[in-house]
Amino acid sequence: MTYFNKPKKVNWDLKLIKPSYKAKIYFSNSERWQFSSSATVKILGVDQKNSLVTFDFPKREDEEYILDSNIEPNSGYRICTEKFNIVTLPFSYLADVVEELY
């Protein structure tokens, strides 16, 4: 089970998200949001109408343990990543857009 954690603030326009962008996510393997990691994922799909993004969680990059004051306490969105590799999350769970791929 993976808990995706919501950032307190996002420094970019959520309406500009496109497939092939890379975004930073916060997540943990328990409900304890204080023990989170960050990673970069490639956005596979975007549903602008419902404000959702899709990415392949096992293909995450740059994973590192963090102590980040930008995480919203108790905001864990639970997904069984052991069964489902492709994850769909609301825009508000992306911490930052890292880059656009060409």
Side-chain angles (χ1 to χ4, degrees), residues 6-12 26 69-72 92 94-96:
K6 187 184 286 190
K8 286 183 181 177
K9 65 178 184 173
V10 178
N11 296 321
W12 48 281
Y26 299 139
S69 61
N70 190 36
I71 295 175
E72 187 70 42
S92 58
L94 300 180
D96 198 6

Side-chain angles (χ1 to χ4, degrees), residues 70-81:
N70 190 36
I71 295 175
E72 187 70 42
N74 304 313
S75 63
Y77 189 89
R78 188 172 67 178
I79 296 177
C80 184
T81 53

Side-chain angles (χ1 to χ4, degrees), residues 45-58:
V46 177
D47 178 347
Q48 287 287 349
K49 180 180 178 187
N50 296 308
S51 300
L52 299 171
V53 293
T54 302
F55 56 89
D56 191 344
F57 185 65

Side-chain angles (χ1 to χ4, degrees), residues 31-50:
E31 293 179 2
R32 303 282 314 256
W33 61 271
Q34 299 92 333
F35 303 108
S36 292
S37 295
S38 70
T40 304
V41 293
K42 180 181 175 186
I43 303 297
L44 301 175
V46 177
D47 178 347
Q48 287 287 349
K49 180 180 178 187
N50 296 308

